[in-house]
Amino acid sequence: MLTAQTTLLQNPLALALESLRGIAIRFVAVINLADVYYDAKAAPSIVLDVHPQAVLSTVYFQNIFCLRPEQTHSIGVQVALGDTDATNIVIYASSVGDNALRLLAARITPPPVALPRPDDPTPRKPPLLLHAKGRDLFPPKPQFKVPAVPAKTLKRKLSQVELEVGPTIERKNKDIVKGIVVRSIPTHLLPKTHPEYKEVFNWIYRGVCFAMRADIKLKPVNEENASRLARVHVGMYVQGADGRKGPI
């Protein structure tokens, strides 16, 4: 019911509640009154009357407001009118006499912003604490965050000895094998102008390198052993090199 200072048509919350007569309101949360702004001071008070036959509602409000007297006037029950959270009200307790309480209802609204006076030379900042429904009305400004720098992985530099043992030794060994293969091919049997010279040379070179694959990357090759392997491959691919008939 409304106080005597106003009428039904002058109170938006009273009109909303009247339009929902007979329809159950939806519970949202138990909140601290200090965290929200409600229009109890700006609008006349609306007294909430619980029907005598609504036993569960009576017991619920008694448990909320009567079991812990130190919280009676600091908490409220937030409910929503309808299926959405567009309109929220808070139900809170007010003392009547020494041992009695009455339930009041008020809308949860944004707090009023105090505008600076025209004659005030220093503009006033709007209040920082703006809460409604337990959340900030205005989202906080995005803060710039410095992106995380990926951790650097330390790579160990190869020593001079490792560099020489690596590709340098292998390159030198392959150059030596190429020279041995060139000298091992009899030019009178297979001159460099022969159309198959390059293909035969490559097969002999690959065969010798494959046969010496265990040591060619680690230490200087044994030229005598490389020459022996080259002669074996020449006898396989060059006709007449070893006194026998070969493929060419």
Side-chain angles (χ1 to χ4, degrees):
M1 64 181 176
L2 295 174
T3 56
Q5 290 83 4
T6 186
T7 63
L8 179 64
L9 297 178
Q10 293 176 337
N11 194 294
L13 178 57
L15 288 173
L17 293 175
E18 184 66 22
S19 64
L20 293 174
R21 181 185 293 272
I23 301 176
I25 56 179
R26 184 165 55 87
F27 170 80
V28 176
V30 177
I31 59 175
N32 291 321
L33 296 179
D35 294 340
V36 297
Y37 181 85
Y38 51 99
D39 59 0
K41 296 180 180 179
S45 300
I46 297 179
V47 179
L48 181 68
D49 185 22
V50 181
H51 195 279
Q53 295 182 0
V55 179
L56 293 179
S57 298
T58 302
V59 172
Y60 175 77
F61 285 118
Q62 287 177 349
N63 291 337
I64 292 294
F65 296 113
C66 300
L67 291 182
R68 303 182 66 178
E70 68 276 7
Q71 294 184 352
T72 298
H73 301 289
S74 62
I75 62 174
V77 178
Q78 179 182 347
V79 296
L81 302 183
D83 296 332
T84 65
D85 292 340
T87 302
N88 280 256
I89 67 173
V90 59
I91 301 171
Y92 60 100
S94 176
S95 298
V96 180
D98 295 334
N99 297 320
L101 295 174
R102 67 174 179 176
L103 299 179
L104 302 178
R107 286 189 310 162
I108 298 176
T109 62
V113 178
L115 300 176
R117 300 191 309 271
D119 58 344
D120 191 352
T122 305
R124 299 176 183 177
K125 295 181 179 180
L128 298 179
L129 186 61
L130 299 177
H131 288 281
K133 298 185 292 184
R135 302 189 300 269
D136 290 339
L137 288 177
F138 302 101
K141 294 182 179 180
Q143 297 181 354
F144 176 76
K145 294 184 179 180
V146 179
V149 179
K152 294 183 178 180
T153 56
L154 299 178
K155 295 183 178 180
R156 184 176 63 89
K157 293 183 178 180
L158 297 177
S159 64
Q160 191 66 25
V161 176
E162 290 174 327
L163 290 175
E164 292 181 356
V165 173
T168 303
I169 293 295
E170 182 182 6
R171 186 70 269 165
K172 289 181 179 180
N173 288 337
K174 288 185 176 180
D175 291 340
I176 293 174
V177 172
K178 285 184 179 179
I180 293 175
V181 172
V182 171
R183 293 191 297 270
S184 299
I185 299 177
T187 56
H188 65 284
L189 297 178
L190 184 66
K192 292 184 178 181
T193 57
H194 195 282
E196 293 186 356
Y197 177 87
K198 184 178 294 186
E199 184 177 0
V200 172
F201 169 84
N202 288 332
W203 280 111
I204 297 173
Y205 169 73
R206 292 174 185 174
V208 175
C209 290
F210 182 77
M212 306 183 70
R213 63 188 180 279
D215 299 331
I216 197 169
K217 297 181 180 180
L218 302 177
K219 59 184 180 180
V221 296
N222 186 326
E223 296 188 20
E224 183 178 352
N225 188 28
S227 299
R228 180 183 61 81
L229 293 172
R231 289 194 299 270
V232 172
H233 283 80
V234 168
M236 294 170 58
Y237 301 124
V238 180
Q239 182 178 356
D242 57 351
R244 297 178 298 176
K245 292 184 178 181
I248 298 177

